[in-house]
Amino acid sequence: MTRTHPAPDHDVVRLDSVRKIYGGSKKHQVAALDSVSIGFGRGSFTAVMGPSGSGKSTFLHCAAGLDRPTSGTVLLDGVDLTPLKERELTKLRRERVGFIFQAFNLLPALNVVDNITLPLKLAGRRPGKALVNEVIERVGLADRRGNRPGELSGGQQQRVAIARALVTRPAVVFGDEPTGALDTYTAREVLLLLREAVEWSGQTIVMVTHDPIAAAHADRVLFLADGKLVSALEHPTADEVAERMTHLGAWGHESTTSRAGRGAHR
Ligand code: ADP
Ligand code: MG
């Protein structure tokens, strides 16, 4: 794998004036992202929040090279994504990006070890036994190597997905609501595991979430509204995050009190 020069400011991911416009005719155009400029330093853990439709998924997809901005640039691990062809983007994602989704996205016919090592194989790399063992130990699945996803709990399946995301030693891991399908206790386990990856191996993580408790595990929380980055909090409590979301009108109706209430327990 060719290592290119890091970004001048050592950001692992950097977006500059990124805009993403959906819809063809002028009348129906939506600016899903509007002049977004932000950097993610190595070993940082960032949560991205915002009301529904504020551009969180679009942000993640553009930052990860899954989607192309209408204008502006994305630099990932020192590589400008703008001129890359689809094949080159796919290769770069396989080699340098890890993904964790709400729905786990494991292959049901493969056991734990084969699910975890699949990205390495897709990237044409031979899974080193020591590395694979280390990652499996780290996510606490040593006694589950031979099991298929259907034989595991939701939390265990998400830990397989985390191991799969970490095993390529990616420059950055992107999570799209990684705890969205989990109960509070299991979600906390998964968040602590992500936190450990940051502490132990300097993993860079960018995670979209709508849960203030999840966001409070990050070093920094970014808030999107109408496609714009409108504010940020460093090391916030869940209460502070919930309050900021309330100001953005994020919760809409009855969920306001329950979320603020959940936040109060942290
Ligand atoms: P979030 O993830 O915060 O809910 P999204 O990034 O999914 O927000 O969407 C941001 C805005 O862009 C919304 O107004 C949404 O309707 C619009 N949008 C997203 N994807 C598309 C698409 N493929 N075509 C048209 N509009 C889209
Ligand atoms: Mg979304």
Side-chain angles (χ1 to χ4, degrees), residues 30 53 59 61 70 99-100 113 124 135-137 153 164 201 203 210 217 221 224 239 256:
V30 178
F59 177 86
H61 293 163
T70 308
F99 291 97
I100 308 167
V113 171
V135 171
I136 290 178
E137 294 273 343
S153 71
R164 178 184 59 183
S201 42
Q203 183 63 61
H210 65 262
H217 284 78
V221 183
L224 276 168
D239 281 345
T256 309

Side-chain angles (χ1 to χ4, degrees), residues 174-202:
F174 289 103
D176 197 354
E177 298 276 3
T179 58
L182 305 174
D183 62 77
T184 309
Y185 176 82
T186 312
R188 187 178 143 78
E189 273 188 353
V190 161
L191 289 160
L192 292 177
L193 202 53
L194 294 178
R195 184 79 242 170
E196 276 176 15
V198 173
E199 306 295 334
W200 289 355
S201 42

Side-chain angles (χ1 to χ4, degrees), residues 56-166:
K56 300 182 297 294
S57 295
T58 307
F59 177 86
L60 200 76
H61 293 163
C62 286
L66 285 165
D67 202 351
R68 290 175 190 276
T70 308
S71 63
T73 57
V74 177
L75 218 59
L76 202 159
D77 203 18
V79 180
D80 183 355
L81 304 188
T82 316
L84 298 190
K85 302 211 163 46
E86 215 47 56
R87 268 188 54 210
E88 298 167 315
L89 266 181
T90 303
K91 184 167 186 288
L92 180 121
R93 283 199 306 267
R94 279 184 182 158
E95 291 176 352
R96 308 195 198 189
V97 182
F99 291 97
I100 308 167
F101 304 96
Q102 176 170 351
F104 318 139
N105 293 12
L106 303 174
L107 291 180
L110 300 185
N111 68 24
V112 166
V113 171
D114 291 338
N115 263 292
I116 291 173
T117 53
L118 189 64
L120 283 172
K121 291 172 182 164
L122 286 173
R125 287 149 72 184
R126 195 191 295 236
K129 262 224 170 78
L131 172 62
V132 174
N133 283 339
E134 186 198 320
V135 171
I136 290 178
E137 294 273 343
R138 197 176 276 188
V139 299
L141 290 169
D143 55 348
R144 293 294 188 161
R145 287 158 194 275
N147 286 107
R148 293 184 182 179
E151 299 162 345
L152 303 174
S153 71
Q156 287 170 331
Q157 289 187 57
Q158 195 60 310
R159 284 190 271 143
V160 176
I162 290 172
R164 178 184 59 183
L166 296 175

